[in-house]
């Protein structure tokens, strides 16, 4: 299933994408694409529904972030060998973990704001993992059973704030609009192999990132198991698993987003995001 949230910001309705690509209203069946609605039991109930019997929602309506009430927005740094190289950093021995503020989350096609004082706003296409079942001290073998599904994430990053403003990376990762997620939460049964997903990102029509989750250093299962040794994971938590090479910081010369730029990014089977860059 492809689940999404449709409507104005803060008033999104839960929806299911039907075979023809039309959003169908799930409001009568779940309150939101969040929390308990992400469990295997909930998905089994939704699969019993005939999509044709559900009310349609306007196909041109705004698409919101594909998960509501995200409790934790966890990111993995330097998780692609070729990206670590372009960033001039060593490949870590254990997953590098950082957080983005959940207030950064927006819909997949919402405008992205360049924060005040920014000179280095950068892009990062990433595979997002949405937790569906609580996870605490779980093994790699059982890790994917705790995943509800997958989505596209753009882990926008202000490199100067991230690397030169002291403390943790969180300063450069958390500005409003720095976390577009969606368009869809694709349930894990539809993603045969999360380690074989081509992904790309274009700025103003030029392809900068052209990678695959095949070159991920720590797999999704490793990352979920590893995180669960340090914190419990809850339904609706989103993990962004790192970016392949081709970010602006890796260009020679470095290249960053400017007001008026447009981004298009996608992952095979998980949909496409389109953002316009505006001033904050
Ligand atoms: Zn990232």
């Amino acid at each position: 299933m492809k689940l999404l949230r449709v409507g104005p910001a803060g008033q999104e309705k839960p929806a299911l994408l039907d075979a023809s690509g039309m959003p169908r209203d799930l409001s009568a069946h779940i309150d939101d694409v969040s929390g308990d609605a992400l469990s295997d039991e909930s998905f089994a109930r939704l699969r019993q529904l005939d999509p044709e019997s559900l009310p349609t929602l306007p196909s041109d309506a705004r698409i919101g972030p594909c998960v509501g009430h995200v409790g934790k927005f966890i990111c993995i740094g330097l998780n692609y060998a070729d990206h670590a190289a372009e960033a001039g950093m060593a490949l870590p021995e254990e997953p590098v973990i950082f957080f983005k503020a959940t207030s950064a989350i927006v819909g997949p096609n919402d405008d992205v704001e360049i924060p005040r004082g920014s000179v280095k706003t950068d892009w990062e296409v990433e595979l997002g993992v949405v937790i569906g079942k609580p996870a605490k001290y779980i093994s790699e073998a059982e890790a994917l059973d705790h995943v509800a599904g997958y989505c596209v994430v753009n882990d926008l990053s202000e490199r100067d704030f991230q690397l030169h403003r002291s403390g943790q990376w969180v300063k450069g990762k958390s500005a409003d609009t720095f976390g577009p997620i969606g368009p869809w939460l694709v349930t894990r049964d539809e993603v045969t192999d999360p380690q074989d997903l081509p992904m790309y990102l274009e700025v103003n029509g030029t392809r900068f990132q052209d990678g695959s989750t095949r070159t991920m250093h720590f797999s999704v299962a490793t990352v979920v198991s590893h995180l669960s040794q340090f914190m419990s994971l809850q339904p609706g938590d989103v993990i962004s698993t790192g970016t392949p090479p081709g970010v602006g910081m890796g260009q020679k010369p470095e290249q960053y987003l400017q007001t008026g730029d447009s981004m298009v990014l996608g992952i095979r089977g998980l949909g496409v995001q389109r953002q316009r860059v505006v001033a904050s």
Side-chain angles (χ1 to χ4, degrees):
M1 290 185 294
K2 293 181 175 70
L3 300 173
L4 67 164
R5 300 169 69 251
V6 175
Q11 300 170 45
E12 295 93 344
K13 289 182 170 182
L16 172 72
L17 206 68
D18 73 15
S20 71
M22 281 290 283
R24 299 278 184 159
D25 191 352
L26 284 175
S27 298
H29 302 279
I30 53 174
D31 290 335
D32 199 352
V33 182
S34 68
D36 292 343
L38 301 170
S39 68
D40 287 350
E41 297 72 26
S42 164
F43 285 175
R45 280 195 298 276
L46 296 180
R47 283 192 191 94
Q48 301 295 318
L49 301 172
D50 173 12
E52 305 295 315
S53 72
L54 300 167
T56 56
L57 290 164
S59 59
D60 59 348
R62 171 183 175 270
I63 299 178
C66 62
V67 185
H69 307 287
V70 174
K72 294 196 282 299
F73 195 176
I74 310 167
C75 297
I76 308 300
L78 305 171
N79 200 22
Y80 288 74
D82 26 15
H83 170 62
E86 77 173 346
M89 298 188 200
L91 206 54
E93 288 177 20
E94 286 201 20
V96 170
I97 299 171
F98 63 93
F99 282 84
K100 282 175 97 77
T102 52
S103 47
I105 293 172
V106 287
N109 305 319
D110 289 346
D111 289 349
V112 163
E113 295 177 7
I114 296 189
R116 291 184 191 178
S118 165
V119 288
K120 296 185 174 181
T121 295
D122 203 349
W123 54 83
E124 296 189 346
V125 61
E126 306 200 0
L127 174 67
V129 175
V130 180
I131 297 297
K133 180 162 86 170
K136 185 172 179 176
Y137 303 127
I138 57 166
S139 68
E140 285 185 30
E142 55 194 346
L144 296 187
D145 296 341
H146 294 256
V147 171
Y150 300 93
C151 63
V152 180
V153 176
N154 190 354
D155 174 20
L156 286 139
S157 307
E158 213 298 335
R159 302 300 183 193
D160 194 56
F161 297 179
Q162 177 190 352
L163 301 170
H164 301 126
R165 296 292 292 273
S166 302
Q168 302 177 325
W169 289 3
V170 67
K171 285 184 188 176
K173 297 283 190 171
S174 294
D176 285 357
T177 75
F178 267 25
I181 61 173
W184 316 313
L185 165 59
V186 180
T187 53
R188 73 174 187 278
D189 56 297
E190 287 193 15
V191 179
T192 321
D193 183 1
Q195 304 309 142
D196 187 18
L197 299 174
M199 60 212 295
Y200 70 92
L201 182 145
E202 296 173 355
V203 180
N204 300 334
T206 300
R207 188 161 291 210
F208 284 90
Q209 295 192 276
D210 196 2
S212 165
T213 58
R214 274 198 302 272
T215 65
M216 208 182 262
H217 184 47
F218 298 110
S219 69
V220 172
T222 301
V223 162
V224 171
S225 165
H226 183 79
L227 285 169
S228 82
Q229 312 307 312
F230 300 95
M231 66 191 82
S232 69
L233 301 173
Q234 310 299 335
D237 286 350
V238 175
I239 304 162
S240 201
T241 54
T243 200
V247 300
M249 184 174 59
Q251 308 303 310
K252 292 188 179 44
E254 295 177 17
Q255 183 174 333
Y256 295 105
L257 293 167
Q258 308 292 331
T259 301
D261 285 350
S262 62
M263 285 178 282
V264 179
L265 56 148
I267 300 179
R268 189 179 66 197
L270 304 186
V272 174
Q273 301 187 349
R274 295 169 201 281
Q275 292 123 17
R276 210 164 48 101
V277 180
V278 301
S280 178

